[in-house]
Structures are given as structure tokens and as C-alpha cells.
Amino acid sequence: MQLLVRKINRAKWDQNNICEGESPSGDAITIDLRTKNNTLSIWEINSEDEIEDAVLALTVAGDTLNTIDIVIFNADQLRTEDLNVENSKGHTIYTGFADRHRDLTELDYKSLGTFARIIIDSLKCKNVKRFTVSKLKGILKNGLDANKISIESLNEGLRKKLKLQLI
């Protein structure tokens, strides 16, 4: 079963009681569903065992280490809802995982609402995982140890933070 993950700002989704039927806040929608060229970025994994690979790909794309939350949903949900998914090369230095990147494409008002509902369903079912800074440092160290990434390829800000932890 193929799973998909997307990074979200959990605090914004928790502004309203969506698990009790309230609508998500405008901040949740505008922050986490902000499109570029009518697309949204997601990552495909084969099982929950690969969640940390997706988190590594997401983390090394940035220059800071902040707690992140990801939602996990079944790829079949997107097909059932007629959402368009296309393979696209991920913008990550974790090149061994870049081909697992997908884009939700041809998004409009209706399809964004559909995807928001999928996120809400994932939150209701507790298909969300939090990765603290401490956990992210461990994932980065494991990625370095397994030669999935190199410290030289990291953004300078991340590299400085990790060197302090890895010395």
C-alpha cells in the first residue's frame, strides 16, 4: 500500500476544533495549502518504515531545525477523489529519495478543499507524526552515518548546527 506524506503546521490546524466538525482556520489553509503553479508537494513512501526517509528529504531542504509535523494518508484516497498526482524530482540533497517526490497538480478551489478534508481525516485518525528538533538531529545523524547525505552538501546553517552536535 502506497502512503503519502506532507509536512503541515499542526498548530494552525489545531486553532479550531476540526475533530469536532469545525472548519479549519484560514491560516491552516493559506499556510499549508499555498500552491505554486497550482501544485502541492508530497512524498511517497511504501510503508511507515520509510517515514524518516521522507522527513530527512524535507529537513535537508531547509536551513533550520524546527519541530515538524507530517500527515500520512493512503495514495488511494487521492485517486478516489480524482486528485491528480504526478511524479516530479524532489528538491532535496537526499538524492536517493528525490525520485519519491510527487506533486498534486491542476489544483483549484474544489480540489484544495478535497485535499484539506483528507488532511482533516488524517488528523482525526491520528495519522500525523511529530518530529522534534532532537529527533530531527538523530535522523540527520543517521542519514550522515548511512551516507544518504554528506555534511558538505548541507546548507551552511544546518551544517553549523549539526557540527556542534557531531563533534
Side-chain angles (χ1 to χ4, degrees):
M1 168 177 54
Q2 291 177 320
L3 299 172
L4 298 166
V5 299
R6 177 157 173 88
K7 180 179 167 182
I8 63 164
N9 184 323
R10 177 71 189 258
K12 298 300 181 187
W13 290 91
D14 287 343
Q15 285 178 335
N16 295 343
N17 193 349
I18 58 174
C19 290
E20 294 297 321
E22 288 184 23
S23 293
S25 71
D27 288 348
I29 300 299
T30 58
I31 289 172
D32 284 341
L33 300 181
R34 180 181 49 216
T35 63
K36 182 176 180 182
N37 297 322
N38 299 314
T39 66
L40 284 175
S41 174
I42 55 179
W43 292 87
E44 182 180 87
I45 58 176
N46 293 316
S47 71
E48 290 200 23
D49 294 338
E50 293 181 334
I51 287 175
E52 289 190 4
D53 282 314
V55 170
L56 179 62
L58 285 163
T59 302
V60 297
D63 62 353
T64 61
L65 282 179
N66 296 313
T67 296
I68 65 169
D69 294 293
I70 60 165
V71 290
I72 306 154
F73 47 95
N74 189 309
D76 290 337
Q77 288 176 278
L78 300 183
R79 285 188 276 281
T80 300
E81 297 289 349
D82 291 325
L83 294 174
N84 297 317
V85 179
E86 292 182 10
N87 295 349
S88 65
K89 191 83 165 169
H91 300 287
T92 180
I93 62 165
Y94 180 10
T95 56
F97 205 73
D99 65 339
R100 305 294 284 286
H101 184 264
R102 306 292 180 260
D103 280 323
L104 290 175
T105 62
E106 301 176 34
L107 292 168
D108 59 16
Y109 176 78
K110 181 180 176 190
S111 56
L112 279 174
T114 299
F115 189 58
R117 186 173 33 78
I118 289 171
I119 291 173
I120 291 167
D121 290 345
S122 293
L123 291 168
K124 284 180 178 179
C125 295
K126 302 193 186 315
N127 289 333
V128 61
K129 295 206 182 284
R130 171 162 281 191
F131 294 87
T132 62
V133 171
S134 167
K135 182 71 172 165
L136 292 174
K137 286 179 180 176
I139 290 170
L140 286 165
K141 184 171 182 340
N142 291 343
L144 289 164
D145 291 346
N147 294 316
K148 293 177 179 179
I149 57 171
S150 69
I151 199 150
E152 297 78 23
S153 64
L154 293 175
N155 169 297
E156 185 177 345
L158 266 182
R159 190 169 50 238
K160 284 180 181 177
K161 289 174 185 167
L162 285 175
K163 280 193 175 181
L164 293 174
Q165 296 299 315
L166 299 175
I167 290 177

